[in-house]
Structure formats: C-alpha cells, structure tokens
Amino acid sequence: MSETAKITIGSKTVEYPIIQGTEGEKAIDISKLRADTGCITLDNGLMNSGSCKSAITFLDGEKGILRYRGYSIDELAEKAIFREVAYLLIYGELPNKKQFKEFCDRVHKYSSLPEGVYKILDQYPLDAHPMAVASSVLAGLSAFYPQYLKNDLSKEEKDEVMAQIFAQFKLIISYYYRRTKGITERVPTRQDQTYAGDFINMMFHKPGFTIDPEISRALDILLILHADHEQNCSTSTVRVVGSSKANVFAAVSAGIDALWGQLHGGANQAVLEMLEEVRNDGGDVTKAIAKAKDKNSGFRLMGFGHRVYKNFDPRAKIIKVACDTVLGRLGVKDPLLDIAKGMEAAALKDPYFKERSLYPNVDFYSGIIYRALGIPTEMFTAMFALGRIPGWLAQWKEMTEDPMTKIVRPRQIYTGANQRPFIPMDKR
Ligand code: CMC
C-alpha cells in the first residue's frame, strides 16, 4: 500500500497520499485539504511547497547535486555545448547528429530581428538598464508574431517559437550593447561558432577581431551552468504567467523581470558592486564580513547563500575554475578577484556563515568573468537571462503539455479590517 499522511485538526483526521519523485523526494498531496477541513496551508516564500511535477532538473541542496534530465552538471559542463544542453532541456534527450542539425538550422533561421524591433531598440536611452530592455523587447516581440498569441499552439508552432526566442534573445542584448557604444551595425550570425562564440562576436566584432576558442568555451560553460534551476523565482514566474495561457513571449518576459531582483539573478551585478565598494573602502574584508553579519546594517554578503543549497552550490565550484582560466588566458589581474577570494575564505571560516550553511553561489564569481570579458556590470543579469532562456522555455513547454496544469491561484489568510460601514468624506 502506498504511503499516506494523516492530519488531525480538532476532532477530524484526514488522510492524504504521499507522492514520491524518482529521486525519492516526498510530498503530501493536500489538494483536498480545504474542501475536507476548511483549512489551507500557509507557507511563506513557498519554502516548503511543491508547485508542480517536473522531469527537467533535479537538485539536492543538502548534497550539492544538480542534474539536467539526469545528467550531472559537472559532466555537461565538461562535455557538452550550450546549444546541445538547450535541446536536452527542451526535448528531454541529448540530440543525435540529425536532431541537432535540425534544431540548429531552425535556430539559425532567426539571425535578425524584425525591423520594427531595431527601431524600438534605437529609442531606449543609452543608459537604460539592459534588463528593462530585455524584458520589454521580449514582450514586444509578441506584437510582431501574432500567430503565436492563440491558445494551444501545435507542436510545430511551439518548436518554432522556442527556437526563435532562443536565437533572438542573443540578438537583442548584443544589439543593445553595441548601440550603447554608438555602433548600430548589425553583426551577422556565425553558424560555425558555438552559441557563446557567436554571441561574443556579435558583441565585440570589429575589423581584425577573432574569437578566442578558450574564452568562448568558458562562456559556453557559464551559460550551461545557468540554463535551468528547477522552480526558482523566475521559472515559477514563467509558469505562473503561462498558466493563465498568456503567450510564451509574455511568460518569458515576466521571468526576466523576476530574475532582475538582487536576491535572484540581480545578485551578480550586486556582487561586483559590493566588491568595488570594499575595494574603494580600503579592501578590508573583515569589515565587510562584520557588516554582513550585522542585521541592522541592511547589508548581505551578495553571492552567498541559497534557498536550496545548504552544503555548496555545485555551479560555483565550476565557475571558480572558469574564472581562473579566463583571467589567466586574458592576462587580467583583477584586484576584485583577490577581494572575492579573501571574502570567501573569511566567510567559510566564520561561525555565522557556517551555522546558517551560507556558501558562495553561482553569482559570486560569474561577474568577475563577465568583467574580464569586457561586459559592463549592469549587463551581468542579462547574461544570466541569456543562459536561463532554454530552461524557461523547457519549463513553459512542460507546463503546457502537463494535463494537471491549472491556472496558479494561491489562497491567503486575510488579516485586514472586518466589515465596516462606509463613512462619507465630510464625516471622516
Ligand atoms: N549574507 C548574510 N546573511 C545571510 C545571507 C547573506 N548573503 N543569506 C542569508 N543570510 C542569513 C539571514 O540573515 C538569515 O539569518 P537568521 O536566521 O539569523 O535570520 C539566514 O541566513 C537565512 O536567510 P534567509 O534570507 O531566511 O534565507 P532564504 O533562503 O530566504 O534566502 C537568499 C536565500 C539567496 C535570498 C539569501 O541567501 C540571500 O539574500 N543571498 C544574497 C543574495 C544572492 O546571492 N542571491 C543569489 C542566489 S543564487 C542565484 C539564483 O539562483 O538566483
């Protein structure tokens, strides 16, 4: 007999099934709780609530495990390329040569944006935050492709629109960057390059520019590490928006907005700003650590801690190595890297961080790599989004294909005023 959970409220006891995942994780299916007892569950920040079943990404925060479709992140970072990982996330299996070629051909069809989108991009202030540009232009793309606004897209339409978003996001942010440098020339897609190599070329192309394979490989790895992370804030946002049957452009655009915040993807920008602040303040790591521990300071050690990882973030380990590779290859000596390493060492020894299981996360070292590549600090979170696009698309696709999907509509515990009579303004 399958396992059940009993809940007793007053004199009533109800029994609910326990659902088990393929890695042994368990959940109590409380979907009948309110109907049976009049109670709902209250779970601030949804720290303890599953919102869906998903076969895309598995992570075990206690053991520091992250796998996409069963493949460990270490193995994918070592052996796969980003486009292959995008296919894996979206379609569930690693592609064979034929499938991969078909996927790449489909993606490469979208090597430019509609003319109107370039005109829109040209209207943003030159100091516009790239996440504002990314989110609004992505939502705006839906106006140029009305065929995808209907409900229940066919398989072929989904394949097409996902390939399009995967290809065009890179065009949006690289065009944005070049425009801030006063260059509006459009750089053609390099089909002979990896996704990262093509992106680097789109960003920095000028006569005589060559793409360094070691650098483009490091960036491709970085994108792989960011590609999915199960039901995090931005992915949940994509699913919440998509659950209303809003179109995929709207859902992914909303995900970009959720990622922007500094407790989520925005942490990579915040880390760099924090390291710069520490350097400008004389480079005193101990002082910064003390400030992060002081609850009244309003300051947190950015790039540290994670809602799920309570041992270490496996992505951070790989990124630290990539960071050394990139800086070594480019011959960059970045004092911020020394400060970052000093802060990490100090925090890992400190009882405050140890007791709370706070370790460096994916954002701690990624910014130093982006900075070495010449990517401006305010663009770091858009780089995170560039990597996360396939994950959002995969989660959107899975949600649209899941017969159990319902519009997400949580309940609440109301804590406001009880009913009271209206008082006319002259009597208030
Ligand atoms: N610096 C100092 N103290 C911290 C930090 C930090 N970075 N993170 C957590 N704490 C403390 C927090 O004050 C609390 O202490 P206490 O128990 O005494 O009240 C305890 O640790 C638990 O923190 P929490 O805020 O309840 O934990 P959470 O799971 O809600 O938050 C987090 C997770 C990632 C938002 C948080 O660790 C944080 O703010 N980190 C800094 C921002 C950051 O790096 N975000 C990127 C996350 S990884 C990329 C991604 O996937 O988005």
Side-chain angles (χ1 to χ4, degrees), residues 137-155:
V137 172
L138 202 82
L141 272 183
S142 61
F144 295 84
Y145 299 96
Q147 66 270 36
Y148 299 124
L149 301 190
K150 64 181 182 197
N151 283 334
D152 304 323
L153 300 179
S154 67
K155 182 193 171 303

Side-chain angles (χ1 to χ4, degrees), residues 82 205 257 302:
F82 180 56
H205 178 79
D257 287 329
M302 299 315 290

Side-chain angles (χ1 to χ4, degrees), residues 47 229 262-265 267 292 295 299-307 310 313 315 352-353 356 358 361-363 384 388:
M47 293 180 66
H229 213 233
Q262 68 161 8
L263 296 188
H264 192 11
K295 293 281 187 314
F299 171 81
R300 280 191 165 194
L301 191 49
M302 299 315 290
F304 254 73
H306 198 275
R307 169 60 61 82
K310 300 298 173 198
D313 181 339
R315 303 168 299 175
Y352 174 96
F353 291 90
R356 291 169 180 77
L358 300 170
N361 59 47
V362 70
D363 292 317
F384 191 145
R388 187 54 58 88

Side-chain angles (χ1 to χ4, degrees), residues 268-276 336 367-368 371 377 380:
N268 58 12
Q269 175 176 340
V271 169
L272 235 285
E273 288 164 355
M274 172 188 79
L275 295 174
E276 273 166 353
L336 296 191
I368 294 174
R371 186 172 132 101
T377 311
F380 290 0

Side-chain angles (χ1 to χ4, degrees), residues 40-256:
I40 59 165
T41 55
L42 185 63
D43 182 14
N44 197 20
L46 303 182
M47 293 180 66
N48 205 38
S49 293
S51 57
C52 61
K53 291 184 191 165
S54 176
I56 301 172
T57 290
F58 172 71
L59 70 88
D60 181 328
E62 278 71 38
K63 295 191 186 129
I65 292 173
L66 172 61
R67 294 185 205 129
Y68 299 159
R69 302 283 189 184
Y71 297 100
S72 87
I73 194 67
D74 302 77
E75 209 176 357
L76 289 171
E78 190 193 332
K79 298 176 183 162
I81 57 172
F82 180 56
R83 280 197 198 102
E84 202 180 1
V85 169
Y87 184 100
L88 171 71
L89 286 169
I90 295 171
Y91 295 108
E93 296 295 339
L94 286 168
N96 61 29
K97 274 193 184 151
K98 181 170 170 283
Q99 290 165 327
F100 190 56
K101 182 174 181 315
E102 279 166 11
F103 177 65
C104 291
D105 288 348
R106 206 189 273 269
V107 169
H108 286 141
K109 275 198 307 192
Y110 300 98
S111 56
S112 67
L113 296 162
E115 274 315 304
V117 175
Y118 286 111
K119 287 201 181 113
I120 293 169
L121 276 162
D122 286 340
Q123 298 310 308
Y124 284 95
L126 286 175
D127 60 356
H129 196 284
M131 289 299 273
V133 175
S135 149
S136 53
V137 172
L138 202 82
L141 272 183
S142 61
F144 295 84
Y145 299 96
Q147 66 270 36
Y148 299 124
L149 301 190
K150 64 181 182 197
N151 283 334
D152 304 323
L153 300 179
S154 67
K155 182 193 171 303
E156 179 62 23
E157 286 166 328
K158 279 186 197 168
D159 288 347
E160 201 62 33
V161 73
M162 287 189 294
Q164 181 194 327
I165 291 175
F166 183 51
Q168 289 185 332
F169 192 72
K170 175 174 55 156
L171 302 173
I172 294 168
I173 64 168
S174 57
Y175 183 82
Y176 153 85
Y177 168 78
R178 290 175 75 80
R179 195 178 149 262
T180 63
K181 302 282 164 211
I183 316 164
T184 49
E185 166 218 348
R186 296 172 201 171
V187 183
T189 300
R190 286 279 303 267
Q191 295 196 16
D192 59 324
Q193 285 291 326
T194 60
Y195 189 93
D198 186 24
F199 175 73
I200 288 174
N201 191 51
M202 280 181 179
M203 292 277 288
F204 303 114
H205 178 79
K206 59 182 177 195
F209 178 76
T210 53
I211 306 160
D212 181 328
E214 219 172 301
I215 298 298
S216 67
R217 177 64 193 148
L219 184 58
D220 219 53
I221 292 173
L222 221 57
L223 296 175
I224 291 172
L225 299 178
H226 285 87
D228 195 49
H229 213 233
E230 53 118 293
Q231 305 313 317
N232 57 82
C233 178
S234 57
T235 302
S236 299
T237 303
V238 170
R239 281 184 178 258
V240 168
V241 174
S243 78
S244 75
K245 291 199 185 272
N247 66 80
V248 61
F249 298 100
V252 173
S253 161
I256 295 171

